[in-house]
Amino acid sequence: TQSTWGQKKAGITNVPSSGQMVVCLMDRIDETYHQLRNNALGLGCSVIILVANDCDALCACRIFTKILQTDSIQYKVHPVAGFGDIEEIFDALSDNEDLRSLVFINCGGIVDMSERWAFNQQVKLYILDSHRPFHHKNIHSDQVVLFDDKEPGDDVPSFEDFDVDQDGDDEEEVDEDDDDFEIDDADDPDTQTSKKRRRKSGDTQERRSRRRIFADYYRGSYYGTTVSGFVYDLARQLNRDKNELLWLWIVGLTDQLIHDRIGRDQYIDCLGKCDEEVKRCFNLERETAEEDETNWFDTESGKVFFEDEYRFMLFRHWSLFDSMYHSNYVACKMSIWKEPGRRNLNQFLAKMGVPLEQCQQQYRFMDVSLKRMLRERINATAKDFGLEDLCFGSFVKQIDPRLQLSAADYVYCVTALLEDPAARLEGEQLGTQPTPKPDADGEPLPENKYWVKNFWTAYDALSTKNLDLLQRGIDLSIQLQQAIVSQGTAIIEKRMIQMSSKFNYVTLHNQSMPNITLFHHPIALYKLAQFLVDAFREEKKKTKKSKPMVISCIKGPTYLIVGLNNTAQSTILTRNTFGVLFRKAALAVHAQYKHDGFDASVIEIAKDDFVSFSTALQNDGEY
């Protein structure tokens, strides 16, 4: 069914606004926290935290709850997957007299939250959200505090522009009795008519200017600063910046890079700040531990150090050959779905002087001397095979003498646990239709309960105390990536990619297709689209400009659809306009749809409306 989040609720009255911008910058975040803490004094559970189900949000939540625990502030965390979940929680909180603070982590910024919260007006709404653009009314609301790393620019609609969409038609008549409109020659009908026209023209131009501001501001979605970085900065300003919290910021930042939410330039800038913090924390540790090593610090368990990370997925926990074969970067650069591509991969390994037998066993069991010289040999050989950007700067955690986990490993692990079809029983194959597990009362859990269970599993996996969960996440991530590459190569080989003038598109119609249930999760479907865009760009880079991708997967009575236009860790990412286009196409054909997720480039369309929706999307002239 169509999401009703965008429709006004009857009886809701907005909190009066002064029109002042209420945006909290990083250097004042501690002052805002003191306000939250003071409002919690003498009350019960006065802080409710709503957390999106992504890796960066989980990292930020762990940091923030550590801070609250230090101040003995009672709180409750609610996982949310969309605005429908937020609405349900709001209804449940309507009679909570102790509630003073609603904290949104990676959610809430792109809709008017003060309008949606229609209950206790003493409640302050604190929004830490990397999704952009912020809803303009959140920026100006007295009840909402937004967190950002910069002041709102001139592109943000002003307080006076709030009702621009309610302005009349451009050809509406101007009130002739307007006292502000003076007429020098009241008896001259030609003069009076001329001045009315000029007034009318001026009003029309102003309305058009306002609409242009709105159109430019909302022309597409993008991402801002990582929320885990924001909350870590709060911990630092409060002198509670423990090393384990810094690691969570590093993981959250890496999540943004891996999922193409920020460009390389922005990542490198943030990475430099992380490196400064690592060195500062190392100096603090060294003062007490008198260590002689450099550029590492103790965490909750283990040490952390800077290291160039290869774009071989999970290579420390896989065989080197499989890691390279199933990594988007290497697979797409070498076109491993073709025989020459597979031959090139073997030649690459041979030229490095690494025997195939060594490459195909678990990395941790490889010859120690080979591992020591591996980096030097890879760097010397990669350019000969077109692998110019094979590394990116990152950090690694040495948990014990035999176990290393990079920040990227954590991201893959946590994300896999979030998208796990968690209804699977022990021994069931990944991607098969799951058998529902019973709850504590012996009743099967409803489908919407599994993602909540996944949320808490992934949340717990962020602690190095839960090595079993980390290993489970790594194993699951490997299986998921194998399925993505397998499905992606099948799509390419079967020529399932359709081309239009504006974008390429793929539709997975067959419900009996292997691993089809994996792609019922937006993250997995996004990763498949990411693989296809990368592959198509490498195939056509000499002849055609790479196009955006729309990929659809049948999901029972609906189609799950994802739009993607940025991949391969571009230097600067452009806005994703598919959110606007999806809603426009759905409304144009009166389709039943659900579009209430925090990522606007994801939509669900009723199966009966899918063909008409796709036609309208392809015919839209505004892309």
Side-chain angles (χ1 to χ4, degrees):
T1 55
Q2 177 175 337
S3 170
T4 58
W5 182 261
Q7 302 173 5
K8 274 194 172 183
K9 286 184 178 179
I12 291 182
T13 303
N14 287 340
V15 178
S17 175
S18 64
Q20 298 293 322
M21 291 189 179
V22 188
V23 177
C24 178
L25 301 182
M26 277 190 170
D27 58 355
R28 299 199 305 270
I29 193 171
D30 59 331
E31 298 173 10
T32 305
Y33 174 75
H34 290 318
Q35 178 188 15
L36 179 150
R37 185 182 62 186
N38 292 337
N39 289 339
L41 295 176
L43 297 173
C45 185
S46 66
V47 178
I48 299 296
I49 309 170
L50 283 68
V51 187
N53 59 334
D54 64 74
C55 182
D56 184 27
L58 266 65
C59 291
C61 182
R62 286 192 73 93
I63 299 172
F64 189 60
T65 53
K66 289 283 187 182
I67 296 171
L68 294 178
Q69 290 166 15
T70 303
D71 285 328
S72 301
I73 296 175
Q74 295 185 45
Y75 65 88
K76 187 171 183 180
V77 175
H78 290 275
V80 289
F83 292 108
D85 297 323
I86 294 178
E87 200 164 28
E88 290 179 8
I89 293 168
F90 279 7
D91 291 339
L93 295 172
S94 59
D95 57 354
N96 187 331
E97 296 180 357
D98 285 338
L99 183 61
R100 292 295 181 270
S101 302
L102 277 169
V103 180
F104 301 82
I105 298 182
N106 242 10
C107 59
I110 63 175
V111 299
D112 183 1
M113 295 309 299
S114 62
E115 182 182 44
R116 293 301 141 192
W117 177 255
F119 309 106
N120 186 348
Q121 300 306 317
Q122 298 182 70
V123 174
K124 202 78 170 177
L125 312 181
Y126 300 92
I127 299 178
L128 298 108
D129 194 356
S130 63
H131 297 89
R132 300 288 190 277
F134 288 139
H135 195 284
H136 64 283
K137 291 189 178 181
N138 285 337
I139 297 174
H140 296 283
S141 172
D142 291 336
Q143 195 177 11
V144 174
V145 177
L146 281 173
F147 295 83
D148 204 352
D149 60 346
K150 60 182 179 180
E151 293 282 3
D154 295 335
D155 62 329
V156 177
S158 67
F159 182 65
E160 290 75 16
D161 292 336
F162 274 8
D163 297 321
V164 63
D165 57 334
Q166 299 176 10
D167 283 350
D169 186 84
D170 287 349
E171 299 301 322
E172 68 183 8
E173 291 295 326
V174 178
D175 187 358
E176 295 181 11
D177 296 327
D178 190 338
D179 293 334
D180 294 332
F181 183 51
E182 298 179 2
I183 299 182
D184 296 328
D185 293 315
D187 296 333
D188 186 342
D190 292 336
T191 302
Q192 185 173 0
T193 301
S194 175
K195 292 195 174 183
K196 283 182 181 178
R197 286 174 178 169
R198 287 199 298 271
R199 169 65 183 276
K200 177 179 173 181
S201 175
D203 286 353
T204 300
Q205 291 177 3
E206 182 180 354
R207 285 194 296 273
R208 286 175 177 169
S209 176
R210 289 181 177 183
R211 289 186 177 121
R212 277 196 298 271
I213 292 173
F214 267 70
D216 289 343
Y217 183 71
Y218 290 112
R219 73 178 183 274
S221 60
Y222 61 103
Y223 287 84
T225 302
T226 168
V227 290
S228 53
F230 252 114
V231 187
Y232 175 79
D233 209 60
L234 169 61
R236 186 183 58 79
Q237 292 179 36
L238 297 172
N239 294 319
R240 299 174 193 171
D241 45 334
K242 295 182 179 179
N243 296 331
E244 61 182 283
L245 306 187
L246 176 52
W247 176 251
L248 291 169
W249 174 24
I250 292 170
V251 173
L253 174 62
T254 309
D255 174 55
Q256 284 200 312
L257 179 74
I258 286 176
H259 294 112
D260 290 322
R261 292 170 185 156
I262 57 174
R264 284 198 302 265
D265 287 352
Q266 187 178 353
Y267 172 77
I268 291 171
D269 180 59
C270 293
L271 185 70
K273 297 174 182 177
C274 288
D275 194 32
E276 291 174 3
E277 282 296 295
V278 168
K279 292 174 180 176
R280 185 182 66 83
C281 291
F282 162 69
N283 288 333
L284 292 176
E285 292 287 343
R286 188 173 181 179
E287 289 175 5
T288 57
E290 296 183 356
E291 294 287 348
D292 293 325
E293 299 177 49
T294 58
N295 204 21
W296 67 264
F297 64 91
D298 284 324
T299 64
E300 175 186 12
S301 175
K303 301 175 182 179
V304 169
F305 54 91
F306 182 89
E307 186 171 273
D308 282 336
E309 180 75 1
Y310 286 117
R311 293 167 74 174
F312 309 151
M313 183 176 173
L314 295 168
F315 72 91
R316 299 174 185 85
H317 317 283
W318 210 348
S319 73
L320 184 62
F321 179 87
D322 284 331
S323 172
M324 296 176 72
Y325 184 93
H326 291 96
S327 295
N328 281 20
Y329 179 76
V330 177
C332 294
K333 282 283 187 181
M334 291 189 169
S335 301
I336 50 88
W337 51 89
K338 299 177 180 178
E339 180 58 35
R342 292 188 287 271
R343 194 162 53 244
N344 274 345
L345 178 56
N346 287 330
Q347 289 175 354
F348 176 51
L349 293 168
K351 192 169 182 179
M352 288 192 301
V354 182
L356 194 60
E357 178 186 353
Q358 289 283 325
C359 295
Q360 291 180 336
Q361 65 177 319
Q362 286 285 317
Y363 179 81
R364 63 177 179 270
F365 298 134
M366 282 181 62
D367 187 275
V368 176
S369 61
L370 277 177
K371 288 197 284 188
R372 285 174 180 167
M373 63 180 67
L374 191 60
R375 288 187 174 274
E376 180 181 347
R377 292 185 178 183
I378 288 177
N379 294 336
T381 310
K383 291 184 179 180
D384 295 338
F385 291 83
L387 304 176
E388 291 88 0
D389 300 316
L390 199 56
C391 300
F392 61 93
S394 188
F395 292 88
V396 174
K397 177 185 284 189
Q398 185 79 46
I399 294 176
D400 61 40
R402 294 188 299 175
L403 179 60
Q404 282 187 349
L405 285 167
S406 69
D409 294 340
Y410 265 80
V411 172
Y412 291 129
C413 166
V414 170
T415 304
L417 292 171
L418 286 171
E419 61 185 318
D420 180 17
R424 290 179 297 112
L425 291 172
E426 190 71 28
E428 286 187 325
Q429 292 295 315
L430 184 71
T432 58
Q433 191 64 37
T435 303
K437 293 179 182 178
D439 62 11
D441 298 322
E443 296 294 327
L445 286 168
E447 182 182 351
N448 62 356
K449 292 291 185 182
Y450 288 113
W451 75 265
V452 177
K453 183 177 180 180
N454 287 353
F455 176 96
W456 290 115
T457 301
Y459 185 86
D460 291 340
L462 282 168
S463 170
T464 50
K465 295 178 180 178
N466 296 307
L467 293 181
D468 289 343
L469 284 181
L470 284 167
Q471 188 59 55
R472 174 183 162 191
I474 289 169
D475 294 341
L476 182 59
S477 182
I478 287 173
Q479 296 175 60
L480 289 168
Q481 186 64 17
Q482 287 173 325
I484 287 167
V485 173
S486 174
Q487 186 64 63
T489 55
I491 288 171
I492 295 169
E493 289 172 344
K494 295 177 181 179
R495 301 181 181 273
M496 294 172 61
I497 301 177
Q498 305 296 312
M499 302 178 198
S500 70
S501 59
K502 302 178 182 69
F503 50 81
N504 301 325
Y505 59 97
V506 174
T507 304
L508 306 179
H509 290 293
N510 190 352
Q511 299 202 60
S512 62
M513 184 182 295
N515 296 320
I516 190 70
T517 59
L518 293 182
F519 304 109
H520 291 173
H521 195 291
I523 299 178
L525 193 60
Y526 168 88
K527 288 179 179 178
L528 179 58
Q530 188 180 43
F531 177 86
L532 294 172
V533 170
D534 291 348
F536 195 85
R537 182 185 58 252
E538 292 299 324
E539 284 280 290
K540 305 295 182 181
K541 65 181 178 182
K542 294 182 179 179
T543 57
K544 296 181 181 180
K545 182 181 178 181
S546 178
K547 292 181 182 179
M549 172 73 68
V550 174
I551 185 165
S552 310
C553 179
I554 193 165
K555 184 183 177 184
T558 67
Y559 276 88
L560 178 66
I561 304 170
V562 172
L564 177 66
N565 65 344
N566 289 302
T567 59
Q569 298 167 7
S570 305
T571 302
I572 299 175
L573 299 184
T574 57
R575 295 190 180 206
N576 189 327
T577 58
F578 279 113
V580 176
L581 297 176
F582 284 167
R583 182 174 287 270
K584 183 180 177 182
L587 292 174
V589 299
H590 307 288
Q592 287 186 302
Y593 70 96
K594 182 179 180 182
H595 194 216
D596 76 338
F598 307 130
D599 185 347
S601 62
V602 179
I603 192 170
E604 274 191 66
I605 296 288
K607 184 162 60 175
D608 293 341
D609 298 319
F610 176 71
V611 174
S612 59
F613 168 83
S614 298
T615 302
L617 185 65
Q618 294 173 43
N619 292 336
D620 194 310
E622 293 189 9
Y623 188 86

